[in-house]
Amino acid sequence: VARIDRRRAERDRLLAELPPPDRPADPAGRPRPLVYLIVATGDIHEDIPQAQAAAREGADVVAVIRSTGQSLLDFVPEGATREGYAGTYATQENFRLMRAALDDVSRELGRYVRLTNYASGLCMPEIATLAGLERLDMMLNDCMYGIIFRDINPRRTFIDQRFSRQIHARAGIVVNTGEDNYLTTADAVDAAHTVVVSQLLNERFGHEAGLTDAQLGLGHAFEIDPKIPESFRLELAHAQLVRELFPDAPLKYMPPTKHMTGNIFAGYLLDAFFNLAGVMTGQSIILIGMMTEGIHTPWLSDRDLALENVRYVRDACGGLAEDFAPRPDGLIARRARRVLAESLELLERIGDDGLLTAIAEGTFGVTRRPPDGGKGLDGVVERADGYVNPAIEILDTENPHGARAAAEQEVPA
């Protein structure tokens, strides 16, 4: 725990030494949006030069996605790995190597480049601990993602997400949630309210685990079928609603994927509309979209074009968010009010029936997950009389944000 506190203090010091360059701020004065980019070849030694190149091209956040299926492993691999498939294994050594590489390029560029990985799965607490020890800045950690999209037992997931989020709170890590995934399996218009409800649940679980609003990177996505009339106005309504519901949260906005096709020109245009929506509604973290996502793993040249796209929109729009105010009686405001009303109605139903029942009925992502099904239930054991866990005692009783001040005194200048 002391080491995690020291790593958090290191981050605070580096953020002070390497602030982001001047860029348009949102009305609250926060620089945004951060540009989030995925790098993962399967080989950590290939990932590093790609991540550094991405940072030089403008990426503020580098996410190293995990090898296919790692979320279902009930252990964490060790060492530097070179054999990942469609992603790179999350290991402590891989975290250490990438963090050191991004620190090098941060000093070169004069701005701190953030590192992201994924905790959701059967090893949420273990990977969260490694992230704290190696000073990762963001982690994918959703209260329900593992249940719905990885068929991990609900009881196992809810226990693990609390403990892992307590570690993230202590480490000063921003938690990114996965509501965007609902819209890949459900209709983005009909299911918009389920995204909001999940965000509210993630906020509640996050606060209960000690996370501040500044650590709640709640996720949502630009996934309405572009063939629908007024689709962009509907997207703006959803994005603006989320921004206003969570004004102090660093929202993570995901690009279109479900309706990307082999038409790369239309895809590039759709990504520009996504970037525009993100800037207009003051999103905090924009994950860049790539025009070839619908046909193959994007080439490096596609990534460069995607970064060019988001840079142009961000710089051309500047502080557009402070000028964007939908008419109270217009389509955007009416749509936002309708989604909010549907969200409240669903929350009331969940309050009556219970969250486990709602998940079992396929409320989120149209996927049914019963309370006693899925992977990992055999790892859930009722606490016996006299149960003692020193880590839980520390995390439950100490203020994670107060611990930072003491740690800062130990970090050498």
PDB file of all heavy atoms in Angstrom, residues 135-170:
ATOM      1  N   ARG A 135       2.097   2.289 -11.586  1.00  0.00           N
ATOM      2  CA  ARG A 135       1.639   3.634 -11.940  1.00  0.00           C
ATOM      3  C   ARG A 135       0.945   3.730 -13.296  1.00  0.00           C
ATOM      4  O   ARG A 135       1.280   4.565 -14.143  1.00  0.00           O
ATOM      5  CB  ARG A 135       2.797   4.649 -11.867  1.00  0.00           C
ATOM      6  CG  ARG A 135       2.256   6.076 -11.914  1.00  0.00           C
ATOM      7  CD  ARG A 135       3.239   7.195 -11.764  1.00  0.00           C
ATOM      8  NE  ARG A 135       4.594   6.966 -12.110  1.00  0.00           N
ATOM      9  CZ  ARG A 135       5.117   7.224 -13.310  1.00  0.00           C
ATOM     10  NH1 ARG A 135       4.368   7.674 -14.294  1.00  0.00           N
ATOM     11  NH2 ARG A 135       6.389   7.005 -13.509  1.00  0.00           N
ATOM     12  N   LEU A 136      -0.046   2.863 -13.505  1.00  0.00           N
ATOM     13  CA  LEU A 136      -0.940   3.099 -14.630  1.00  0.00           C
ATOM     14  C   LEU A 136      -1.886   4.230 -14.242  1.00  0.00           C
ATOM     15  O   LEU A 136      -2.103   4.492 -13.054  1.00  0.00           O
ATOM     16  CB  LEU A 136      -1.698   1.827 -14.999  1.00  0.00           C
ATOM     17  CG  LEU A 136      -0.941   0.942 -16.020  1.00  0.00           C
ATOM     18  CD1 LEU A 136       0.271   0.299 -15.393  1.00  0.00           C
ATOM     19  CD2 LEU A 136      -1.878  -0.118 -16.602  1.00  0.00           C
ATOM     20  N   ASP A 137      -2.456   4.886 -15.235  1.00  0.00           N
ATOM     21  CA  ASP A 137      -3.266   6.082 -14.982  1.00  0.00           C
ATOM     22  C   ASP A 137      -4.757   5.840 -15.122  1.00  0.00           C
ATOM     23  O   ASP A 137      -5.561   6.525 -14.483  1.00  0.00           O
ATOM     24  CB  ASP A 137      -2.849   7.183 -15.960  1.00  0.00           C
ATOM     25  CG  ASP A 137      -1.360   7.452 -15.884  1.00  0.00           C
ATOM     26  OD1 ASP A 137      -0.925   8.053 -14.895  1.00  0.00           O
ATOM     27  OD2 ASP A 137      -0.635   7.038 -16.821  1.00  0.00           O
ATOM     28  N   MET A 138      -5.124   4.908 -15.977  1.00  0.00           N
ATOM     29  CA  MET A 138      -6.528   4.565 -16.191  1.00  0.00           C
ATOM     30  C   MET A 138      -6.639   3.049 -16.296  1.00  0.00           C
ATOM     31  O   MET A 138      -5.702   2.383 -16.741  1.00  0.00           O
ATOM     32  CB  MET A 138      -7.076   5.191 -17.471  1.00  0.00           C
ATOM     33  CG  MET A 138      -7.060   6.706 -17.503  1.00  0.00           C
ATOM     34  SD  MET A 138      -7.693   7.327 -19.086  1.00  0.00           S
ATOM     35  CE  MET A 138      -7.485   9.098 -18.850  1.00  0.00           C
ATOM     36  N   MET A 139      -7.785   2.521 -15.875  1.00  0.00           N
ATOM     37  CA  MET A 139      -8.047   1.088 -16.022  1.00  0.00           C
ATOM     38  C   MET A 139      -9.503   0.883 -16.409  1.00  0.00           C
ATOM     39  O   MET A 139     -10.405   1.515 -15.844  1.00  0.00           O
ATOM     40  CB  MET A 139      -7.777   0.342 -14.705  1.00  0.00           C
ATOM     41  CG  MET A 139      -6.321   0.260 -14.316  1.00  0.00           C
ATOM     42  SD  MET A 139      -5.319  -0.735 -15.446  1.00  0.00           S
ATOM     43  CE  MET A 139      -5.800  -2.388 -14.992  1.00  0.00           C
ATOM     44  N   LEU A 140      -9.735   0.004 -17.371  1.00  0.00           N
ATOM     45  CA  LEU A 140     -11.094  -0.411 -17.682  1.00  0.00           C
ATOM     46  C   LEU A 140     -11.592  -1.263 -16.521  1.00  0.00           C
ATOM     47  O   LEU A 140     -11.020  -2.318 -16.238  1.00  0.00           O
ATOM     48  CB  LEU A 140     -11.143  -1.195 -19.000  1.00  0.00           C
ATOM     49  CG  LEU A 140     -11.210  -0.389 -20.299  1.00  0.00           C
ATOM     50  CD1 LEU A 140     -12.548   0.269 -20.445  1.00  0.00           C
ATOM     51  CD2 LEU A 140     -10.074   0.611 -20.440  1.00  0.00           C
ATOM     52  N   ASN A 141     -12.606  -0.793 -15.835  1.00  0.00           N
ATOM     53  CA  ASN A 141     -13.116  -1.497 -14.659  1.00  0.00           C
ATOM     54  C   ASN A 141     -14.591  -1.155 -14.514  1.00  0.00           C
ATOM     55  O   ASN A 141     -14.955  -0.146 -13.925  1.00  0.00           O
ATOM     56  CB  ASN A 141     -12.328  -1.084 -13.405  1.00  0.00           C
ATOM     57  CG  ASN A 141     -12.706  -1.904 -12.188  1.00  0.00           C
ATOM     58  OD1 ASN A 141     -13.867  -2.198 -11.957  1.00  0.00           O
ATOM     59  ND2 ASN A 141     -11.716  -2.249 -11.395  1.00  0.00           N
ATOM     60  N   ASP A 142     -15.427  -2.005 -15.075  1.00  0.00           N
ATOM     61  CA  ASP A 142     -16.872  -1.793 -15.101  1.00  0.00           C
ATOM     62  C   ASP A 142     -17.534  -2.737 -14.109  1.00  0.00           C
ATOM     63  O   ASP A 142     -17.081  -3.873 -13.924  1.00  0.00           O
ATOM     64  CB  ASP A 142     -17.394  -2.066 -16.514  1.00  0.00           C
ATOM     65  CG  ASP A 142     -18.851  -1.698 -16.676  1.00  0.00           C
ATOM     66  OD1 ASP A 142     -19.714  -2.435 -16.186  1.00  0.00           O
ATOM     67  OD2 ASP A 142     -19.125  -0.655 -17.299  1.00  0.00           O
ATOM     68  N   CYS A 143     -18.621  -2.277 -13.479  1.00  0.00           N
ATOM     69  CA  CYS A 143     -19.260  -3.133 -12.475  1.00  0.00           C
ATOM     70  C   CYS A 143     -20.006  -4.308 -13.104  1.00  0.00           C
ATOM     71  O   CYS A 143     -20.276  -5.293 -12.416  1.00  0.00           O
ATOM     72  CB  CYS A 143     -20.193  -2.312 -11.588  1.00  0.00           C
ATOM     73  SG  CYS A 143     -21.660  -1.657 -12.405  1.00  0.00           S
ATOM     74  N   MET A 144     -20.342  -4.223 -14.414  1.00  0.00           N
ATOM     75  CA  MET A 144     -21.143  -5.306 -15.019  1.00  0.00           C
ATOM     76  C   MET A 144     -20.568  -5.870 -16.311  1.00  0.00           C
ATOM     77  O   MET A 144     -21.082  -6.859 -16.831  1.00  0.00           O
ATOM     78  CB  MET A 144     -22.569  -4.807 -15.286  1.00  0.00           C
ATOM     79  CG  MET A 144     -23.355  -4.514 -14.026  1.00  0.00           C
ATOM     80  SD  MET A 144     -25.098  -4.168 -14.344  1.00  0.00           S
ATOM     81  CE  MET A 144     -25.004  -2.570 -15.145  1.00  0.00           C
ATOM     82  N   TYR A 145     -19.508  -5.279 -16.849  1.00  0.00           N
ATOM     83  CA  TYR A 145     -18.990  -5.709 -18.145  1.00  0.00           C
ATOM     84  C   TYR A 145     -18.653  -7.199 -18.155  1.00  0.00           C
ATOM     85  O   TYR A 145     -19.018  -7.934 -19.078  1.00  0.00           O
ATOM     86  CB  TYR A 145     -17.745  -4.885 -18.517  1.00  0.00           C
ATOM     87  CG  TYR A 145     -17.038  -5.375 -19.751  1.00  0.00           C
ATOM     88  CD1 TYR A 145     -17.438  -4.953 -21.011  1.00  0.00           C
ATOM     89  CD2 TYR A 145     -15.980  -6.279 -19.664  1.00  0.00           C
ATOM     90  CE1 TYR A 145     -16.795  -5.407 -22.152  1.00  0.00           C
ATOM     91  CE2 TYR A 145     -15.329  -6.743 -20.798  1.00  0.00           C
ATOM     92  CZ  TYR A 145     -15.751  -6.298 -22.038  1.00  0.00           C
ATOM     93  OH  TYR A 145     -15.125  -6.763 -23.165  1.00  0.00           O
ATOM     94  N   GLY A 146     -17.940  -7.669 -17.133  1.00  0.00           N
ATOM     95  CA  GLY A 146     -17.539  -9.074 -17.091  1.00  0.00           C
ATOM     96  C   GLY A 146     -18.725 -10.015 -17.046  1.00  0.00           C
ATOM     97  O   GLY A 146     -18.680 -11.124 -17.596  1.00  0.00           O
ATOM     98  N   ILE A 147     -19.798  -9.581 -16.408  1.00  0.00           N
ATOM     99  CA  ILE A 147     -21.004 -10.403 -16.330  1.00  0.00           C
ATOM    100  C   ILE A 147     -21.632 -10.538 -17.708  1.00  0.00           C
ATOM    101  O   ILE A 147     -21.910 -11.646 -18.191  1.00  0.00           O
ATOM    102  CB  ILE A 147     -22.018  -9.765 -15.361  1.00  0.00           C
ATOM    103  CG1 ILE A 147     -21.437  -9.637 -13.957  1.00  0.00           C
ATOM    104  CG2 ILE A 147     -23.317 -10.570 -15.333  1.00  0.00           C
ATOM    105  CD1 ILE A 147     -22.269  -8.760 -13.027  1.00  0.00           C
ATOM    106  N   ILE A 148     -21.855  -9.408 -18.351  1.00  0.00           N
ATOM    107  CA  ILE A 148     -22.655  -9.385 -19.568  1.00  0.00           C
ATOM    108  C   ILE A 148     -21.871  -9.872 -20.779  1.00  0.00           C
ATOM    109  O   ILE A 148     -22.377 -10.663 -21.590  1.00  0.00           O
ATOM    110  CB  ILE A 148     -23.196  -7.960 -19.807  1.00  0.00           C
ATOM    111  CG1 ILE A 148     -24.150  -7.593 -18.661  1.00  0.00           C
ATOM    112  CG2 ILE A 148     -23.901  -7.844 -21.154  1.00  0.00           C
ATOM    113  CD1 ILE A 148     -24.481  -6.125 -18.580  1.00  0.00           C
ATOM    114  N   PHE A 149     -20.615  -9.446 -20.897  1.00  0.00           N
ATOM    115  CA  PHE A 149     -19.875  -9.735 -22.127  1.00  0.00           C
ATOM    116  C   PHE A 149     -18.842 -10.845 -21.981  1.00  0.00           C
ATOM    117  O   PHE A 149     -18.279 -11.279 -22.989  1.00  0.00           O
ATOM    118  CB  PHE A 149     -19.217  -8.453 -22.642  1.00  0.00           C
ATOM    119  CG  PHE A 149     -20.224  -7.416 -23.062  1.00  0.00           C
ATOM    120  CD1 PHE A 149     -20.571  -6.383 -22.215  1.00  0.00           C
ATOM    121  CD2 PHE A 149     -20.868  -7.509 -24.280  1.00  0.00           C
ATOM    122  CE1 PHE A 149     -21.521  -5.436 -22.579  1.00  0.00           C
ATOM    123  CE2 PHE A 149     -21.821  -6.582 -24.665  1.00  0.00           C
ATOM    124  CZ  PHE A 149     -22.152  -5.545 -23.805  1.00  0.00           C
ATOM    125  N   ARG A 150     -18.561 -11.289 -20.756  1.00  0.00           N
ATOM    126  CA  ARG A 150     -17.602 -12.375 -20.574  1.00  0.00           C
ATOM    127  C   ARG A 150     -18.187 -13.544 -19.783  1.00  0.00           C
ATOM    128  O   ARG A 150     -17.484 -14.482 -19.447  1.00  0.00           O
ATOM    129  CB  ARG A 150     -16.333 -11.852 -19.873  1.00  0.00           C
ATOM    130  CG  ARG A 150     -15.516 -10.881 -20.709  1.00  0.00           C
ATOM    131  CD  ARG A 150     -14.935 -11.550 -21.944  1.00  0.00           C
ATOM    132  NE  ARG A 150     -14.148 -10.629 -22.758  1.00  0.00           N
ATOM    133  CZ  ARG A 150     -14.622  -9.964 -23.812  1.00  0.00           C
ATOM    134  NH1 ARG A 150     -15.898 -10.113 -24.161  1.00  0.00           N
ATOM    135  NH2 ARG A 150     -13.851  -9.165 -24.509  1.00  0.00           N
ATOM    136  N   ASP A 151     -19.472 -13.466 -19.457  1.00  0.00           N
ATOM    137  CA  ASP A 151     -20.170 -14.538 -18.734  1.00  0.00           C
ATOM    138  C   ASP A 151     -19.443 -14.930 -17.455  1.00  0.00           C
ATOM    139  O   ASP A 151     -19.275 -16.109 -17.134  1.00  0.00           O
ATOM    140  CB  ASP A 151     -20.359 -15.770 -19.634  1.00  0.00           C
ATOM    141  CG  ASP A 151     -21.371 -16.763 -19.034  1.00  0.00           C
ATOM    142  OD1 ASP A 151     -22.180 -16.336 -18.189  1.00  0.00           O
ATOM    143  OD2 ASP A 151     -21.318 -17.953 -19.405  1.00  0.00           O
ATOM    144  N   ILE A 152     -18.993 -13.923 -16.711  1.00  0.00           N
ATOM    145  CA  ILE A 152     -18.419 -14.155 -15.388  1.00  0.00           C
ATOM    146  C   ILE A 152     -19.545 -14.041 -14.374  1.00  0.00           C
ATOM    147  O   ILE A 152     -20.425 -13.182 -14.502  1.00  0.00           O
ATOM    148  CB  ILE A 152     -17.281 -13.160 -15.106  1.00  0.00           C
ATOM    149  CG1 ILE A 152     -16.138 -13.400 -16.102  1.00  0.00           C
ATOM    150  CG2 ILE A 152     -16.767 -13.289 -13.677  1.00  0.00           C
ATOM    151  CD1 ILE A 152     -15.055 -12.358 -16.066  1.00  0.00           C
ATOM    152  N   ASN A 153     -19.539 -14.890 -13.383  1.00  0.00           N
ATOM    153  CA  ASN A 153     -20.628 -14.929 -12.411  1.00  0.00           C
ATOM    154  C   ASN A 153     -20.882 -13.549 -11.798  1.00  0.00           C
ATOM    155  O   ASN A 153     -19.944 -12.863 -11.395  1.00  0.00           O
ATOM    156  CB  ASN A 153     -20.294 -15.940 -11.317  1.00  0.00           C
ATOM    157  CG  ASN A 153     -21.330 -15.929 -10.221  1.00  0.00           C
ATOM    158  OD1 ASN A 153     -21.141 -15.311  -9.182  1.00  0.00           O
ATOM    159  ND2 ASN A 153     -22.441 -16.601 -10.466  1.00  0.00           N
ATOM    160  N   PRO A 154     -22.162 -13.133 -11.714  1.00  0.00           N
ATOM    161  CA  PRO A 154     -22.461 -11.802 -11.172  1.00  0.00           C
ATOM    162  C   PRO A 154     -21.950 -11.579  -9.757  1.00  0.00           C
ATOM    163  O   PRO A 154     -21.407 -10.507  -9.439  1.00  0.00           O
ATOM    164  CB  PRO A 154     -23.992 -11.737 -11.231  1.00  0.00           C
ATOM    165  CG  PRO A 154     -24.371 -12.659 -12.349  1.00  0.00           C
ATOM    166  CD  PRO A 154     -23.372 -13.775 -12.279  1.00  0.00           C
ATOM    167  N   ARG A 155     -22.111 -12.570  -8.876  1.00  0.00           N
ATOM    168  CA  ARG A 155     -21.671 -12.380  -7.489  1.00  0.00           C
ATOM    169  C   ARG A 155     -20.150 -12.187  -7.447  1.00  0.00           C
ATOM    170  O   ARG A 155     -19.634 -11.333  -6.734  1.00  0.00           O
ATOM    171  CB  ARG A 155     -22.095 -13.573  -6.638  1.00  0.00           C
ATOM    172  CG  ARG A 155     -23.597 -13.796  -6.619  1.00  0.00           C
ATOM    173  CD  ARG A 155     -23.986 -15.001  -5.797  1.00  0.00           C
ATOM    174  NE  ARG A 155     -25.349 -15.413  -6.087  1.00  0.00           N
ATOM    175  CZ  ARG A 155     -26.432 -14.867  -5.535  1.00  0.00           C
ATOM    176  NH1 ARG A 155     -26.291 -13.881  -4.671  1.00  0.00           N
ATOM    177  NH2 ARG A 155     -27.644 -15.292  -5.864  1.00  0.00           N
ATOM    178  N   ARG A 156     -19.442 -13.008  -8.197  1.00  0.00           N
ATOM    179  CA  ARG A 156     -17.980 -12.890  -8.265  1.00  0.00           C
ATOM    180  C   ARG A 156     -17.589 -11.489  -8.751  1.00  0.00           C
ATOM    181  O   ARG A 156     -16.709 -10.838  -8.191  1.00  0.00           O
ATOM    182  CB  ARG A 156     -17.434 -13.977  -9.196  1.00  0.00           C
ATOM    183  CG  ARG A 156     -15.968 -13.842  -9.595  1.00  0.00           C
ATOM    184  CD  ARG A 156     -15.014 -14.147  -8.445  1.00  0.00           C
ATOM    185  NE  ARG A 156     -13.638 -14.109  -8.912  1.00  0.00           N
ATOM    186  CZ  ARG A 156     -12.937 -15.191  -9.300  1.00  0.00           C
ATOM    187  NH1 ARG A 156     -13.494 -16.391  -9.258  1.00  0.00           N
ATOM    188  NH2 ARG A 156     -11.701 -15.075  -9.703  1.00  0.00           N
ATOM    189  N   THR A 157     -18.271 -11.017  -9.792  1.00  0.00           N
ATOM    190  CA  THR A 157     -17.914  -9.730 -10.383  1.00  0.00           C
ATOM    191  C   THR A 157     -18.164  -8.581  -9.422  1.00  0.00           C
ATOM    192  O   THR A 157     -17.325  -7.686  -9.272  1.00  0.00           O
ATOM    193  CB  THR A 157     -18.690  -9.506 -11.696  1.00  0.00           C
ATOM    194  OG1 THR A 157     -18.286 -10.493 -12.645  1.00  0.00           O
ATOM    195  CG2 THR A 157     -18.414  -8.130 -12.271  1.00  0.00           C
ATOM    196  N   PHE A 158     -19.316  -8.576  -8.763  1.00  0.00           N
ATOM    197  CA  PHE A 158     -19.635  -7.450  -7.883  1.00  0.00           C
ATOM    198  C   PHE A 158     -18.707  -7.406  -6.666  1.00  0.00           C
ATOM    199  O   PHE A 158     -18.369  -6.325  -6.182  1.00  0.00           O
ATOM    200  CB  PHE A 158     -21.098  -7.506  -7.444  1.00  0.00           C
ATOM    201  CG  PHE A 158     -22.041  -7.038  -8.519  1.00  0.00           C
ATOM    202  CD1 PHE A 158     -23.057  -7.865  -8.994  1.00  0.00           C
ATOM    203  CD2 PHE A 158     -21.911  -5.773  -9.071  1.00  0.00           C
ATOM    204  CE1 PHE A 158     -23.919  -7.438  -9.986  1.00  0.00           C
ATOM    205  CE2 PHE A 158     -22.762  -5.337 -10.064  1.00  0.00           C
ATOM    206  CZ  PHE A 158     -23.772  -6.163 -10.524  1.00  0.00           C
ATOM    207  N   ILE A 159     -18.287  -8.564  -6.182  1.00  0.00           N
ATOM    208  CA  ILE A 159     -17.310  -8.592  -5.085  1.00  0.00           C
ATOM    209  C   ILE A 159     -15.966  -8.061  -5.576  1.00  0.00           C
ATOM    210  O   ILE A 159     -15.337  -7.205  -4.944  1.00  0.00           O
ATOM    211  CB  ILE A 159     -17.164 -10.023  -4.532  1.00  0.00           C
ATOM    212  CG1 ILE A 159     -18.460 -10.456  -3.827  1.00  0.00           C
ATOM    213  CG2 ILE A 159     -15.982 -10.121  -3.573  1.00  0.00           C
ATOM    214  CD1 ILE A 159     -18.533 -11.931  -3.513  1.00  0.00           C
ATOM    215  N   ASP A 160     -15.522  -8.579  -6.712  1.00  0.00           N
ATOM    216  CA  ASP A 160     -14.200  -8.197  -7.224  1.00  0.00           C
ATOM    217  C   ASP A 160     -14.135  -6.732  -7.645  1.00  0.00           C
ATOM    218  O   ASP A 160     -13.105  -6.067  -7.477  1.00  0.00           O
ATOM    219  CB  ASP A 160     -13.812  -9.090  -8.408  1.00  0.00           C
ATOM    220  CG  ASP A 160     -13.343 -10.474  -7.969  1.00  0.00           C
ATOM    221  OD1 ASP A 160     -13.253 -10.705  -6.749  1.00  0.00           O
ATOM    222  OD2 ASP A 160     -13.069 -11.312  -8.852  1.00  0.00           O
ATOM    223  N   GLN A 161     -15.239  -6.214  -8.226  1.00  0.00           N
ATOM    224  CA  GLN A 161     -15.179  -4.822  -8.688  1.00  0.00           C
ATOM    225  C   GLN A 161     -15.042  -3.871  -7.515  1.00  0.00           C
ATOM    226  O   GLN A 161     -14.368  -2.849  -7.616  1.00  0.00           O
ATOM    227  CB  GLN A 161     -16.395  -4.474  -9.565  1.00  0.00           C
ATOM    228  CG  GLN A 161     -17.741  -4.461  -8.885  1.00  0.00           C
ATOM    229  CD  GLN A 161     -18.103  -3.138  -8.234  1.00  0.00           C
ATOM    230  OE1 GLN A 161     -17.639  -2.089  -8.642  1.00  0.00           O
ATOM    231  NE2 GLN A 161     -18.923  -3.204  -7.198  1.00  0.00           N
ATOM    232  N   ARG A 162     -15.650  -4.214  -6.372  1.00  0.00           N
ATOM    233  CA  ARG A 162     -15.530  -3.304  -5.230  1.00  0.00           C
ATOM    234  C   ARG A 162     -14.090  -3.250  -4.734  1.00  0.00           C
ATOM    235  O   ARG A 162     -13.526  -2.172  -4.534  1.00  0.00           O
ATOM    236  CB  ARG A 162     -16.449  -3.723  -4.088  1.00  0.00           C
ATOM    237  CG  ARG A 162     -16.337  -2.764  -2.894  1.00  0.00           C
ATOM    238  CD  ARG A 162     -17.198  -3.206  -1.724  1.00  0.00           C
ATOM    239  NE  ARG A 162     -17.214  -2.155  -0.709  1.00  0.00           N
ATOM    240  CZ  ARG A 162     -16.319  -2.036   0.269  1.00  0.00           C
ATOM    241  NH1 ARG A 162     -15.309  -2.884   0.362  1.00  0.00           N
ATOM    242  NH2 ARG A 162     -16.424  -1.055   1.154  1.00  0.00           N
ATOM    243  N   PHE A 163     -13.501  -4.428  -4.505  1.00  0.00           N
ATOM    244  CA  PHE A 163     -12.140  -4.448  -3.966  1.00  0.00           C
ATOM    245  C   PHE A 163     -11.160  -3.810  -4.951  1.00  0.00           C
ATOM    246  O   PHE A 163     -10.296  -3.016  -4.565  1.00  0.00           O
ATOM    247  CB  PHE A 163     -11.728  -5.890  -3.657  1.00  0.00           C
ATOM    248  CG  PHE A 163     -10.418  -6.003  -2.936  1.00  0.00           C
ATOM    249  CD1 PHE A 163     -10.337  -5.807  -1.567  1.00  0.00           C
ATOM    250  CD2 PHE A 163      -9.251  -6.295  -3.619  1.00  0.00           C
ATOM    251  CE1 PHE A 163      -9.123  -5.897  -0.893  1.00  0.00           C
ATOM    252  CE2 PHE A 163      -8.035  -6.396  -2.961  1.00  0.00           C
ATOM    253  CZ  PHE A 163      -7.976  -6.197  -1.591  1.00  0.00           C
ATOM    254  N   SER A 164     -11.305  -4.137  -6.232  1.00  0.00           N
ATOM    255  CA  SER A 164     -10.376  -3.586  -7.226  1.00  0.00           C
ATOM    256  C   SER A 164     -10.537  -2.074  -7.338  1.00  0.00           C
ATOM    257  O   SER A 164      -9.553  -1.347  -7.528  1.00  0.00           O
ATOM    258  CB  SER A 164     -10.589  -4.251  -8.588  1.00  0.00           C
ATOM    259  OG  SER A 164     -11.908  -4.060  -9.057  1.00  0.00           O
ATOM    260  N   ARG A 165     -11.752  -1.576  -7.198  1.00  0.00           N
ATOM    261  CA  ARG A 165     -11.958  -0.126  -7.267  1.00  0.00           C
ATOM    262  C   ARG A 165     -11.437   0.574  -6.021  1.00  0.00           C
ATOM    263  O   ARG A 165     -11.025   1.733  -6.100  1.00  0.00           O
ATOM    264  CB  ARG A 165     -13.441   0.175  -7.492  1.00  0.00           C
ATOM    265  CG  ARG A 165     -13.895  -0.135  -8.920  1.00  0.00           C
ATOM    266  CD  ARG A 165     -15.364   0.104  -9.091  1.00  0.00           C
ATOM    267  NE  ARG A 165     -15.734  -0.001 -10.507  1.00  0.00           N
ATOM    268  CZ  ARG A 165     -16.847   0.503 -11.028  1.00  0.00           C
ATOM    269  NH1 ARG A 165     -17.701   1.140 -10.247  1.00  0.00           N
ATOM    270  NH2 ARG A 165     -17.110   0.365 -12.305  1.00  0.00           N
ATOM    271  N   GLN A 166     -11.458  -0.105  -4.896  1.00  0.00           N
ATOM    272  CA  GLN A 166     -10.825   0.478  -3.715  1.00  0.00           C
ATOM    273  C   GLN A 166      -9.325   0.681  -3.965  1.00  0.00           C
ATOM    274  O   GLN A 166      -8.750   1.691  -3.552  1.00  0.00           O
ATOM    275  CB  GLN A 166     -11.033  -0.431  -2.503  1.00  0.00           C
ATOM    276  CG  GLN A 166     -12.425  -0.379  -1.909  1.00  0.00           C
ATOM    277  CD  GLN A 166     -12.512  -1.177  -0.624  1.00  0.00           C
ATOM    278  OE1 GLN A 166     -12.444  -2.410  -0.646  1.00  0.00           O
ATOM    279  NE2 GLN A 166     -12.653  -0.493   0.483  1.00  0.00           N
ATOM    280  N   ILE A 167      -8.722  -0.272  -4.643  1.00  0.00           N
ATOM    281  CA  ILE A 167      -7.295  -0.144  -4.980  1.00  0.00           C
ATOM    282  C   ILE A 167      -7.086   1.011  -5.957  1.00  0.00           C
ATOM    283  O   ILE A 167      -6.159   1.812  -5.814  1.00  0.00           O
ATOM    284  CB  ILE A 167      -6.762  -1.470  -5.554  1.00  0.00           C
ATOM    285  CG1 ILE A 167      -6.838  -2.574  -4.495  1.00  0.00           C
ATOM    286  CG2 ILE A 167      -5.331  -1.305  -6.062  1.00  0.00           C
ATOM    287  CD1 ILE A 167      -6.625  -3.958  -5.028  1.00  0.00           C
ATOM    288  N   HIS A 168      -7.962   1.111  -6.965  1.00  0.00           N
ATOM    289  CA  HIS A 168      -7.857   2.221  -7.911  1.00  0.00           C
ATOM    290  C   HIS A 168      -8.022   3.555  -7.202  1.00  0.00           C
ATOM    291  O   HIS A 168      -7.318   4.531  -7.522  1.00  0.00           O
ATOM    292  CB  HIS A 168      -8.924   2.091  -9.003  1.00  0.00           C
ATOM    293  CG  HIS A 168      -8.690   0.953  -9.951  1.00  0.00           C
ATOM    294  ND1 HIS A 168      -7.439   0.523 -10.309  1.00  0.00           N
ATOM    295  CD2 HIS A 168      -9.567   0.158 -10.631  1.00  0.00           C
ATOM    296  CE1 HIS A 168      -7.546  -0.482 -11.167  1.00  0.00           C
ATOM    297  NE2 HIS A 168      -8.822  -0.718 -11.372  1.00  0.00           N
ATOM    298  N   ALA A 169      -8.952   3.621  -6.253  1.00  0.00           N
ATOM    299  CA  ALA A 169      -9.150   4.863  -5.499  1.00  0.00           C
ATOM    300  C   ALA A 169      -7.869   5.234  -4.771  1.00  0.00           C
ATOM    301  O   ALA A 169      -7.441   6.393  -4.773  1.00  0.00           O
ATOM    302  CB  ALA A 169     -10.313   4.702  -4.521  1.00  0.00           C
ATOM    303  N   ARG A 170      -7.248   4.239  -4.151  1.00  0.00           N
ATOM    304  CA  ARG A 170      -6.010   4.477  -3.406  1.00  0.00           C
ATOM    305  C   ARG A 170      -4.887   4.937  -4.337  1.00  0.00           C
ATOM    306  O   ARG A 170      -4.094   5.813  -4.001  1.00  0.00           O
ATOM    307  CB  ARG A 170      -5.602   3.182  -2.706  1.00  0.00           C
ATOM    308  CG  ARG A 170      -4.372   3.305  -1.809  1.00  0.00           C
ATOM    309  CD  ARG A 170      -4.755   3.773  -0.430  1.00  0.00           C
ATOM    310  NE  ARG A 170      -3.613   4.060   0.408  1.00  0.00           N
ATOM    311  CZ  ARG A 170      -3.648   4.066   1.735  1.00  0.00           C
ATOM    312  NH1 ARG A 170      -4.783   3.787   2.364  1.00  0.00           N
ATOM    313  NH2 ARG A 170      -2.593   4.361   2.440  1.00  0.00           N
TER     314      ARG A 170
END
